[in-house]
């Protein structure tokens, strides 16, 4: 899928990044950008992205934080190849491994990381309808349970390292149940489409060996107003700064 006819070259962060994605199949939207914004990385730290796809979250994070050591693991070879291509396209170093996160290669298992980030499939396989496109189907409703994602992330974290994950709001009970005694200092930020609406997404932060009490952060509201106005960009000012300016989404704000 490296041919230009099969891929589009899409701008992220107001054109600071250009990402090759399949024209058909799973295509990244705002979710990996929010994931990157919520990751509290600092220059020189190491980051592992599980299920990195074409690499959008990692590259958005690298655009904000200099000097990160990036590693990605991706099950589907087509997307792993795109992540490598996108690393070259954007002048960012990233080691990308084609592997199942339940069976990580030795080069990854030998390392621990300051941060592990993930945007796992949103739907449970047995509760969803399969997509006609195999790549999109795996990305949206993979067979790997959330508990396996969180276990793999926890094992690869350094002591006091951070897990940051974005997921559908109705999967929050599954996430919380999978965060065992190795993880603490849990925080959850709901993501609402509009003020007064139920949250559709949540962003989770957990710390390996953390001891702080659970915190439910104020929600991030994506859009202004009560309803969508046709042909109008109605993102809130905070979201515009994240999606176009690459700003961070600090916890506790």
């Amino acid at each position: 899928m490296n041919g230009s006819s099969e891929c589009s070259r899409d701008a992220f962060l107001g054109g600071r990044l250009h990402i090759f994605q399949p024209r058909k199949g799973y295509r990244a939207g705002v979710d990996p950008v929010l994931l990157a914004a919520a990751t509290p990385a600092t220059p020189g730290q190491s980051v592992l992205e599980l299920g990195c796809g074409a690499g959008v979250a990692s590259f958005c994070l690298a655009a904000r934080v200099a000097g990160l050591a990036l590693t990605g693991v991706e099950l589907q070879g087509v997307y792993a190849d795109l992540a490598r291509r996108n690393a070259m396209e954007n002048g960012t170093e990233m080691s990308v491994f084609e592997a199942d996160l339940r069976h990580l290669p030795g080069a990854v298992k030998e390392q621990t990381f300051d941060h592990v980030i993930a945007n796992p499939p949103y739907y449970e396989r047995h509760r969803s309808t399969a997509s006609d496109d195999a790549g999109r189907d795996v990305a949206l409703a993979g067979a790997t349970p959330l508990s396996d994602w969180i276990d793999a992330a926890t094992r690869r974290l350094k002591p006091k390292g951070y897990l940051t994950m974005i997921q559908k709001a109705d999967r929050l009970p599954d996430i919380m149940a999978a965060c065992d005694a190795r993880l603490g200092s849990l925080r959850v930020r709901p993501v609402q489409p509009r003020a007064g609406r139920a949250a559709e997404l949540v962003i989770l932060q957990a710390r390996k060996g953390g001891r702080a009490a659970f915190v439910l952060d104020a929600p991030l509201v994506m859009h202004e107003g009560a309803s969508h106005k046709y042909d109008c960009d109605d993102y809130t000012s905070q979201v515009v700064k994240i999606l176009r300016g690459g700003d961070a989404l600090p916890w506790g704000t």
Side-chain angles (χ1 to χ4, degrees):
M1 189 179 283
N2 289 332
S4 58
S5 63
E6 296 177 320
C7 293
S8 61
R9 182 174 180 266
D10 303 309
F12 286 80
L13 305 186
R16 291 170 62 189
L17 293 177
H18 288 91
I19 302 293
F20 288 102
Q21 302 189 89
R23 294 184 185 276
K24 295 181 179 179
Y26 172 74
R27 294 173 56 80
V30 302
D31 302 0
V33 186
L34 296 178
L35 174 63
T39 302
T42 57
Q45 290 189 320
S46 55
V47 181
L48 169 65
E49 183 177 2
L50 296 176
C52 67
V56 174
S58 288
F59 300 134
C60 285
L61 182 56
R64 175 169 59 85
V65 183
L68 295 176
L70 299 177
T71 300
V73 172
E74 171 53 44
L75 178 64
Q76 301 185 80
V78 167
Y79 289 89
D81 287 343
L82 284 174
R84 298 183 188 104
R85 182 181 182 186
N86 288 326
M88 295 180 61
E89 172 74 9
N90 292 283
T92 303
E93 292 188 14
M94 182 177 181
S95 298
V96 180
F97 296 86
E98 180 185 341
D100 188 320
L101 61 86
R102 294 169 294 187
H103 306 286
L104 293 173
V108 178
K109 292 175 70 173
E110 291 169 359
Q111 301 181 63
T112 54
F113 300 83
D114 297 297
H115 298 272
V116 178
I117 64 175
N119 179 15
Y122 283 167
Y123 303 100
E124 296 178 277
R125 175 70 286 161
H126 66 281
R127 295 182 179 176
S128 60
T129 301
S131 170
D132 292 336
D133 182 271
R136 179 178 172 81
D137 185 64
V138 171
L140 295 180
T144 306
L146 274 175
S147 57
D148 287 351
W149 285 79
I150 292 175
D151 179 66
T154 305
R155 290 175 182 275
R156 301 275 55 81
L157 280 172
K158 295 180 179 180
K160 304 301 182 182
Y162 287 97
L163 165 64
T164 308
M165 176 180 288
I166 190 167
Q167 182 55 250
K168 282 191 67 187
D170 62 8
R171 304 295 305 280
L172 181 58
D174 299 328
I175 295 174
M176 300 295 286
C179 290
D180 59 28
R182 295 172 295 172
L183 295 173
S185 304
L186 272 63
R187 304 184 74 119
V188 171
R189 184 188 294 275
V191 181
Q192 296 174 288
R194 298 181 187 275
R197 300 273 189 91
E200 294 183 355
L201 299 172
V202 290
I203 305 173
L204 170 86
Q205 181 189 87
R207 196 170 194 187
K208 190 169 185 177
R211 296 182 179 275
F214 172 79
V215 176
L216 180 62
D217 274 84
L220 173 69
V221 179
M222 294 294 293
H223 299 277
E224 300 278 8
S227 60
H228 177 67
K229 296 181 180 179
Y230 179 72
D231 200 25
C232 177
D233 186 347
D234 61 358
Y235 283 124
T236 62
S237 60
Q238 183 180 23
V239 171
V240 168
K241 290 177 182 178
I242 292 169
L243 298 184
R244 305 222 175 112
D247 282 16
L249 175 59
W251 292 88
T253 59

